Amino acid sequence: MRVLAIETSCDETGVAVYDGAAGRLLAHAVHSQVALHAEYGGVVPELASRDHVRKTLPLVTEVMRRAGVESGGIQGVAYTAGPGLVGALLVGAAVARSLAWAWGVPAVAVHHMEGHLLAPMLEPEPPAFPFVALLVSGGHTQLVHVEGVGRYRMLGESVDDAAGEAFDKTAKLLGLPYPGGPALARLAEQGDPRRFRFPRPMTDRPGLDFSFSGLKTFALTTLRQSIPDPDAADAAQTRADIARAFEDAVVDTLLIKCRRAVEATGARTIVMAGGVSANRRLRERIDGAMADLGCRAAYPRLELCTDNGAMIAYAGYQRLRAGQHEPLGFGVRARWPMENLPAC
Ligand code: KG4
Ligand code: ZN
């Protein structure tokens, strides 16, 4: 079964073709809207929807050409149905549902975070179930116990900002361009890790929930106290030192909770996915901590950490193979708890 997938939950148009029989991705491509939203300092939902309208079909044509597949060679279509921006989701869902109807094949709605969670399955040595997944994206920070596709138990999540959101907001305070996460990580490379120490929120009590909104406030206070004159010669270094202290605090906090989750569940593998899992320092620290515990850490390749169609194609294939698909019609959801998904 070859599955065409469309992802349009936020500001990237992602399309992919996955071949289930061969167990491999035939082609995938992402069109990023970063340049479109940059001047606004964040994603403008209406602009995102309109750009998906322009880009989705040409990207489908391009990816199918690269995959060497004609319309008759697709046996199912998967689309991201949520969580995400409703207008943006509707574009991908409408295109996917229409193509499936025209081609006479089933269409399946995929949960965006399930896509992220299963992205490491596209790697040469996929992790084995059960595992603990740390999902760290712009909209979510979750620790999930995963026993199989659709068998998810939420262990903990952020009570306020997601990790990626905290990166983006703090980057903005530091005067960095959108999208802030990667820019902040780059600035942190020049920072002195000993200059400032930020708190590790909610690590002083039991439990696996997170809270990241206080770190952004801490960064703002530190910035105001340390740079009374923004034009001072040492202002650039101070910004880098704050970036480093912020990144260390987020990474440490995630690490402490991951270690706890592995100990609490007895899992031998931890999977990390979502945009923030592209963070180099986070990967290094998780690798080290898991090696100490005799556990394996698995990640998607860097290009599959952030939003893409490949992860939706893989998740969609698993669900179509289990006989799941949608009736003729479609809906999308801004919010959608992952624990309510059917098991495969
Ligand atoms: O998964 P994703 O592409 O989109 C959502 O589903 O939200 O994640 C995007 C988030 C953004 O907040 C972005 O700043 C963050 O991932 N991000 C990073 C890095 N690369 C992307 N955060 C920290 N370090 C990075 N290297
Ligand atoms: Zn995402």
Side-chain angles (χ1 to χ4, degrees):
M1 183 196 282
R2 288 197 202 96
V3 177
L4 170 79
I6 299 178
E7 149 69 39
T8 61
S9 66
C10 191
D11 60 345
E12 332 263 5
T13 317
V15 174
V17 177
Y18 180 77
D19 186 326
R24 83 190 168 85
L25 194 61
L26 297 185
H28 93 106
V30 175
H31 166 73
S32 167
Q33 301 179 355
V34 161
L36 182 68
H37 301 289
E39 65 175 294
Y40 304 98
V43 179
V44 183
E46 180 58 23
L47 292 184
S49 313
R50 290 186 205 179
D51 201 49
H52 288 309
V53 170
R54 278 190 292 268
K55 298 291 166 25
T56 306
L57 267 179
L59 209 57
V60 167
T61 309
E62 168 65 14
V63 168
M64 286 180 61
R65 188 190 60 74
R66 278 197 228 165
V69 179
E70 309 247 319
S71 54
I74 298 288
Q75 285 81 37
V77 182
Y79 59 91
T80 306
L85 302 171
V86 165
L89 288 165
L90 278 171
V91 178
V95 173
R97 195 66 197 85
S98 308
L99 288 175
W101 181 77
W103 295 339
V105 299
V108 68
V110 173
H111 191 291
H112 181 79
M113 297 312 291
E114 175 174 72
H116 275 304
L117 190 156
L118 296 176
M121 300 308 236
L122 289 163
E123 298 309 320
E125 287 178 39
F129 299 117
F131 54 74
V132 166
L134 172 68
L135 301 178
V136 271
S137 72
H140 295 82
T141 299
Q142 299 175 324
L143 270 167
V144 191
H145 189 242
V146 181
E147 286 183 349
V149 178
R151 297 171 64 200
Y152 309 131
R153 184 164 57 90
M154 201 59 64
L155 301 171
E157 58 193 319
S158 178
V159 298
D160 43 49
D161 290 355
E165 189 179 358
F167 262 95
D168 294 340
K169 288 177 174 171
T170 305
K172 215 170 182 173
L173 295 178
L174 293 172
L176 297 170
Y178 158 86
L184 191 149
R186 271 194 303 277
L187 182 62
E189 295 294 327
Q190 281 125 49
D192 174 356
R194 289 153 306 182
R195 170 117 179 253
F196 302 111
R197 184 175 166 85
F198 280 34
R200 274 61 176 153
M202 293 180 77
T203 54
D204 56 351
R205 64 190 96 160
L208 294 167
D209 284 338
F210 305 91
S211 164
F212 289 112
S213 70
L215 286 180
K216 152 195 85 198
T217 317
F218 203 88
L220 182 62
T221 315
T222 311
L223 187 68
R224 285 196 178 135
Q225 284 167 353
S226 318
I227 314 187
D229 174 10
D231 297 323
D234 63 348
Q237 185 59 48
T238 299
R239 283 199 174 81
D241 296 343
I242 291 175
R244 178 61 196 262
F246 169 85
E247 187 182 53
D248 281 348
V250 174
V251 168
D252 256 2
T253 305
L254 292 171
L255 196 73
I256 290 166
K257 301 278 170 154
C258 281
R259 208 183 277 131
R260 266 187 212 170
V262 163
E263 282 163 2
T265 56
R268 308 304 304 152
T269 304
I270 191 147
V271 157
M272 197 165 62
V276 182
S277 68
N279 185 277
R280 192 180 59 79
R281 209 176 306 278
L282 179 59
R283 285 182 176 225
E284 281 174 9
R285 296 285 308 283
I286 292 268
D287 279 342
M290 290 304 127
D292 288 348
L293 291 170
C295 294
R296 178 178 170 213
Y299 319 99
R301 72 199 83 154
L302 281 180
E303 73 193 72
L304 300 186
C305 284
T306 45
D307 292 349
N308 64 83
M311 65 187 197
I312 304 304
Y314 181 85
Y317 166 70
Q318 296 300 326
R319 296 204 163 272
L320 287 164
R321 192 175 68 147
Q324 298 173 18
H325 54 85
E326 308 305 312
L328 194 57
F330 61 89
V332 298
R333 307 165 75 158
R335 292 178 187 279
W336 188 4
M338 200 162 56
E339 296 113 299
N340 298 353
L341 295 175
C344 278

